[in-house]
Amino acid sequence: MHLSVKTRIALLVFIPMLLFVATGVYLLNLNSSNIKRMGNSLFDVAYQANNYIMVADRDYYQALNAYNLLRFAPLSDEARESNKDKLDENVASVRASISKARSILSSSDLLDLSEENSQTTAKNAFLGYEADFEKWVSIATANVKNSTPVVLADEEELSLMFENSRDSIDILGNLLDEYSLQEMNDINDKKTSDTTTTYTILGIEWALIILVSSLLLRHFNRSINSLQSKTKMVAGGNLHFERMGKYSRDEFGQLNDSMDTMIEKVRGLVRQISDNTNTVSAAAVELSISAGEAAATTNHVAENIQDVTSQVEVQATIAEETSRAVEEMSSGIQRIAENTTSISELSATASGQVDEGNEHMLTLKQQVGEIMQAIQALSAIVHNLNEKSGQIGAITENITGFANRTNILSLNASIEAARAGEHGKGFAVVAQEIRKLAAGSLESAENISMLISETREEIGRASAFMESTVAQVGKGTDLMGEVAEDFASIQTAVKKVVEQVHETSAITEQMSASSEEVAASMEQSSNSSREVAGKAQTVAAATEEQLALGESISHAAEQLQTIVQSLKGSVSQFKL
């Protein structure tokens, strides 16, 4: 599945947050469960049942006190009636309290619990207590109602019955204390198990986060190092490289693919420029040689024309010699025409190659501009990465703030638990565990902040390198502009050469026609010496013009060779 760099960074931020939120909810649920269980077992069951039993025991004592006053104290009728009412009220209160305590234990399925020392179950303790209590109530009520005489032995037996019934109260109290202790132990065991589970989950989460972060950073480093090595290679003029076997489908993979394609195009363009430069150089050398030959031929024609001019006066007597000179001049002019045609063809070829090289140079300049745009886009991506790292740092600071506030809340909870005394011990333990979790979260947030800081430093260095790369590409663009100007100069010079060669060809054709006319009129040379002299002067002027044109061609060839050498020097900076 294809994921962009932005999506991966977003997942790297939001997945840990989601995991931390899930862990926090899990811890809160565990804490609520433990508190609920503590409330159910210690308050709803043990505390309330024990409270009803203690109330029953108190009312039992008050009933015994009212019975003793009725039996042994001289009371007025009003006081006697008042104590009888108290006796009845306390007996009814004892029955109601014992019934409520039994109902609480029954609803919690605790009647089958047994006391550790006596192995008496709660159900049997209730039955024994109620039997002894009802027996005591029956005897005491009868004694008060019938005003039977006081017999110490009977009263001692009744008092012993009272104490025996209270033994069941002690058994129930011990049983509830043991139940509370067992519940606390179970809660502590569950807390230990939950703590182990929580640390295990956190360890797995951190392992996953570290693994994903390492893989992502490794991918980023590989891509950036690849781009860095390629840009350094291109900046050093080395265009020899091999394409990657496979590209990732994210932005870095596309950037690497674009970079390799760009280098391939630049390498092909530089190779084509180098080949064209060699061709132009060869053509310039050949043009220079042809210009030299044309100049030599022109000098030879000039000498012959001077001889013709000097011998015009004796032309009639040396017609045969003049004919031979005209034939030699015709041959020279034919050679000049052939050389001029060759020079024209070479000039046209050079002009076409210069035009093609100029077009390639413009294409190279456009591709360098595209390279600049791609590198600027990469710089924007690195800048966005830097901004995303800043956002991640802000989120980490929020997590640190949450951990600090949780630590303060746990400290306040510990203080409130300490104020509550015995009833707040369990909550103090929970508050201490929350404080530990807050401290762990704070430490984790600091570690994340350190990792983000290192990542931002790496991104900063990458951004600085991209700026350096942009500067290097800018220099390359300037160099392409200079080369383009050189090509423009070459193109102008070659066009001038072509024009001059065409002009020379026209003059040569004119000279050939004139020579043929001279050969045809050799029979009339004696009668037209003046005309021949005039034509000889015309030919001399044309020859001088041809000589000047040959020198111009030679000079243009020398300039062309200079430009070609400069272009070769520029291209030689690249290694293909």
Side-chain angles (χ1 to χ4, degrees), residues 18 151 328:
L18 183 61
V151 179
E328 185 177 356

Side-chain angles (χ1 to χ4, degrees), residues 71-89:
R71 293 290 287 168
F72 301 106
L75 300 173
S76 62
D77 294 338
E78 184 178 354
R80 179 173 292 278
E81 291 299 328
S82 176
N83 282 297
K84 284 183 180 181
D85 293 337
K86 288 182 180 180
L87 177 61
D88 294 336
E89 291 175 358

Side-chain angles (χ1 to χ4, degrees), residues 182-198:
Q182 181 63 35
E183 285 295 311
M184 286 299 297
N185 292 333
D186 291 343
I187 290 174
N188 287 329
D189 292 340
K190 190 173 186 306
K191 182 198 73 175
T192 303
S193 175
D194 293 340
T195 302
T196 303
T197 302
T198 301

